Amino acid sequence: NVYFVLGEAGIVAVAVAVKSWRLLTGVVGAQALLCLPLTLFLMPESPKWLISQGRGDEAKAILLAAARSDGPAAVSAMGQVIYEERDNGGGEGGAASEAEEGSSNISRATSTSGDVSSRAQAGGVSGLFRKPVMALMTVCVCFSWLTVGAVYYGINNIAGDLPGSLYSNALLSALVEFPGTILGNILVDIPALGRKLSTVGLFTLAGGACVVAAFVGGEVRTMVAYVGKLGISAAFCAVYVYSTELFATPSRNAGLGLGSQMARVGSGAATGLVTAISVDYAMIIFAGLSALAAVGVQLVLVETYGSPLPETVEEVLAKRRKDRQGGRSTAHGGVSDEATLLARPP
């Protein structure tokens, strides 16, 4: 997110020098060409995808390379497996033993491609809607993503209608995301707030700022709009973390991808909205979206802070029932990730 902000601020600097919007679009688009060699030659394939395709040996090679670069700290990232490659036959016996054990565990994990593939087939987008409660949670997550996309880009697009210079407004609108990003990442990790209350609070902050901005003018509107941008930037971070923890493993990538796509729908709709109606009405609509998203998160979604990532839809539903009863799943010391799934024993 921080680098995203740097890119956004960089576009403003380029726009100051390149006045033609057509040329500016070409210059910005040309930067994407720089990513091609990075993607083709430096970025490895997803180990999880390789295993789902029956290419376990390639997945093992990538995991081993990652562990070699990280050293012993790779234990938590590799599903609580500590290993270290023997350096030309040297090193202590304990390190060699750990290396052999880690390599053995990864070999077992990467040989279970059939099990992972069958679970992947039971997931995907269809797994998000197989149960009515799961479908309701998915719709709520998608609406939250749509809201952050609409409000975020909606506030961006009204920079030209705010008092002051277009360039200075756009630059300040980008820079205010720095504290927003930090705020979002801090709040979601506060135990007393967790993911749910953090997300609800940030949507409320963004919506409240949009309401105030709709009824004031001058520099006050500009400052309040920046507060709204800060709030929705923080909400973007919170929703991103929250979404990955709500879905079962077979459908987690699909859920995050579907939500992200809804954010693109929201951003596109906001762009058309601010050109079709006045800023006042647009801000009221953004406030309404934020309020609905906050209510939906509070009423529909469950708290996930400190809980293991669910492996099945049944675990998701059980967690929701427990949440409705006022309980919370047992916390654990780490956050599960793709490597945890890969390291599960057959």
Side-chain angles (χ1 to χ4, degrees):
N1 287 332
V2 171
Y3 284 101
F4 184 89
V5 176
L6 291 177
E8 191 176 0
I11 291 177
V12 178
V14 174
V16 172
V18 181
K19 301 300 182 181
S20 169
W21 70 266
R22 287 187 174 85
L23 182 58
L24 176 63
T25 303
V27 170
V28 173
Q31 297 179 31
L33 296 176
L34 299 176
C35 296
L36 288 178
L38 299 177
T39 304
L40 291 175
F41 303 112
L42 297 180
M43 185 177 296
E45 185 55 85
S46 164
K48 179 180 177 182
W49 181 85
L50 288 172
I51 290 178
S52 71
Q53 302 300 309
R55 296 159 62 179
D57 290 341
E58 296 177 56
K60 176 185 174 182
I62 293 174
L63 293 175
L64 286 173
R68 292 189 190 104
S69 64
D70 290 344
V75 55
S76 59
M78 291 297 173
Q80 301 181 352
V81 175
I82 301 178
Y83 71 96
E84 179 179 283
E85 184 183 25
R86 187 182 303 179
D87 184 11
N88 295 325
E92 299 180 359
S97 176
E98 289 172 350
E100 294 172 358
E101 179 184 355
S103 179
S104 176
N105 279 332
I106 291 180
S107 296
R108 289 199 306 270
T110 54
S111 68
T112 61
S113 58
D115 177 63
V116 174
S117 179
S118 62
R119 284 198 290 174
Q121 292 175 0
V125 176
S126 62
L128 301 173
F129 298 94
R130 187 166 290 121
K131 302 285 187 179
V133 174
M134 196 72 240
L136 180 62
M137 293 176 63
T138 300
V139 170
C140 183
V141 169
C142 288
F143 185 78
S144 297
W145 275 95
L146 183 147
T147 298
V148 293
V151 179
Y152 178 94
Y153 286 100
I155 295 177
N156 263 1
N157 290 333
I158 66 172
D161 296 317
L162 296 175
S165 167
L166 169 63
Y167 299 107
S168 62
N169 286 342
L171 180 60
L172 290 173
S173 179
L175 294 179
V176 78
E177 294 181 40
F178 277 115
T181 298
I182 295 173
L183 177 65
N185 283 282
I186 290 177
L187 290 182
V188 295
D189 282 333
I190 296 177
L193 297 177
R195 314 306 197 208
K196 178 188 280 191
L197 289 181
S198 297
T199 304
V200 170
L202 292 171
F203 273 131
T204 303
L205 173 62
C210 289
V211 169
V212 175
F215 294 100
V216 298
E219 296 297 332
V220 176
R221 167 176 283 185
T222 302
M223 298 305 298
V224 173
Y226 292 154
V227 173
K229 183 66 178 299
L230 182 148
I232 204 64
S233 299
F236 225 134
C237 297
V239 169
Y240 201 107
V241 173
Y242 201 6
S243 299
T244 61
E245 298 176 347
L246 287 166
F247 298 118
T249 296
S251 297
R252 187 167 297 123
N253 289 344
L256 184 61
L258 182 60
S260 182
Q261 184 60 41
M262 292 305 299
R264 309 314 140 203
V265 173
S267 63
T271 301
L273 184 68
V274 297
T275 60
I277 62 177
S278 68
V279 174
D280 299 345
Y281 291 121
M283 297 301 279
I284 291 175
I285 292 175
F286 297 151
L289 289 174
S290 299
L292 288 175
V295 171
V297 170
Q298 179 62 35
L299 297 181
V300 176
L301 302 185
V302 300
E303 179 56 67
T304 61
Y305 178 82
S307 301
L309 295 180
E311 295 289 343
T312 64
V313 172
E314 288 69 24
E315 290 181 17
V316 175
L317 299 180
K319 181 186 293 186
R320 190 173 190 274
R321 286 192 296 270
K322 189 171 184 178
D323 187 80
R324 288 294 177 269
Q325 295 169 359
R328 177 176 290 187
S329 300
T330 303
H332 65 97
V335 177
S336 300
D337 59 8
E338 176 181 289
T340 306
L341 170 63
L342 294 175
R344 292 173 68 88

